[in-house]
Amino acid sequence: MHTTALVLFSGGQDSTTCLAQALSKYERVETVGFDYGQRHSVELQARLVVLREIRAQFPQWASRLGEDHFLDLAVLGQVSETSLTRDTAFKMESSGLPNTFVPGRNLLFLTLAAALAYRRDLQVLVTGVCETDFSGYPDCRDDTMKAMQLALSLGMDKRFLIETPLMWIDKAATWALAEALGGQTLVQLIIEHTHTCYLGDRTHRHAWGYGCGQCPACELRLRGFAAYAATPAGR
Ligand code: ZN
């Protein structure tokens, strides 16, 4: 029986939904975020605001929500050159992956998260990776997660469970999941306070939240929200 979890939490829509699910399931939940030289500290700011708002608006979850950890991963900026960490434009690479791809990023995140979970005695690692997304990042695949679960459990001699609540659902279903977990209160919290936009835009407010409305992350979020809003639950 699993009772404790560590959520990989970026302050975005996906990881906030994962956090809400963990809080509804587990008795003790902690969060971990990574600073790898993101071009915009907006998303790092969003993490703290989302945690604060969850504590304030969901008293039943506040008592379960423990420490937030923040790890400096600036070294990622040294080994990779991507539009997330450098000031270059977004494009598709010849590999077929967008240049937002940081090779091995999720593998590193999970390894560090597991080391932290080991120390904090947390059993489940929760991550918002998803195969349904457009991007096809190889380190978000279900098989990659299963392989990591095995490698980390063997390598640390502790049985970890890697939980991926969003693996097989699309963005519209992610909004619906948030509503199922925390009602419109959670949906509104996600709209208002989570951050997705690659450009770090917090000046343009749309029905689905803040963002430039043009970058791939905004496009995905707005399309998902439109699909969700068209359902009876979203209206
Ligand atoms: Zn954007």
Side-chain angles (χ1 to χ4, degrees):
M1 183 66 179
H2 299 104
T3 55
T4 59
L6 178 64
V7 179
L8 282 77
F9 178 64
S10 70
Q13 175 191 356
D14 290 347
S15 64
T16 299
T17 307
C18 288
L19 175 59
Q21 195 192 50
L23 288 167
S24 69
K25 279 172 78 170
Y26 301 118
E27 290 165 13
R28 183 163 64 91
V29 177
E30 299 189 4
T31 47
V32 60
F34 303 96
D35 184 353
Y36 51 96
Q38 290 95 320
R39 291 197 299 177
H40 309 287
S41 61
V42 169
E43 81 177 70
L44 307 182
Q45 204 57 45
R47 295 182 78 251
L48 303 177
V49 175
V50 169
L51 289 174
R52 186 193 68 205
E53 291 298 317
I54 284 180
R55 283 183 213 279
Q57 297 188 43
F58 295 91
Q60 73 276 31
W61 290 347
S63 57
R64 298 174 160 200
L65 181 54
E67 230 177 280
D68 177 43
H69 310 270
F70 195 60
L71 305 180
D72 184 355
L73 259 185
V75 65
L76 255 185
Q78 292 173 20
V79 297
S80 64
E81 193 156 349
T82 80
S83 63
L84 283 187
T85 51
R86 303 277 169 86
D87 207 9
T88 52
F90 298 94
K91 62 180 172 76
M92 295 301 284
E93 301 284 9
S94 53
S95 62
L97 289 167
N99 67 347
T100 49
F101 176 60
V102 181
R105 182 176 55 171
N106 277 319
L107 308 182
L108 261 176
F109 285 2
L110 282 165
T111 303
L112 290 167
L116 182 62
Y118 187 100
R119 175 166 68 82
R120 303 289 301 165
D121 199 22
L122 301 163
Q123 301 156 317
V124 183
L125 305 174
V126 185
T127 167
V129 292
C130 173
E131 271 202 30
T132 320
D133 273 1
F134 75 111
S135 42
Y137 292 164
D139 58 347
C140 293
R141 285 179 197 150
D142 192 47
D143 283 350
T144 307
M145 292 302 116
K146 291 192 164 82
M148 281 305 282
Q149 177 173 294
L150 189 61
L152 294 170
S153 296
L154 287 172
M156 297 191 194
D157 197 21
K158 180 183 163 81
R159 191 132 189 104
F160 290 111
L161 180 70
I162 296 183
E163 199 169 71
T164 57
L166 311 183
M167 182 60 78
W168 305 112
I169 66 177
D170 62 15
K171 288 284 178 206
T174 302
W175 285 108
L177 175 60
E179 187 183 341
L181 291 165
Q184 277 301 318
T185 307
L186 184 59
V187 171
Q188 291 307 317
L189 187 159
I190 288 172
I191 289 173
E192 197 59 36
H193 299 296
T194 68
H195 185 78
T196 306
C197 176
Y198 283 151
L199 302 183
D201 187 328
R202 295 291 296 173
T203 56
H204 298 94
R205 172 65 153 83
H206 315 265
W208 44 268
Y210 292 90
C212 71
Q214 314 277 325
C215 74
C218 278
E219 246 176 58
L220 197 62
R221 179 159 163 155
L222 79 86
R223 273 208 310 271
F225 187 80
Y228 159 72
T231 64
R235 263 182 242 131

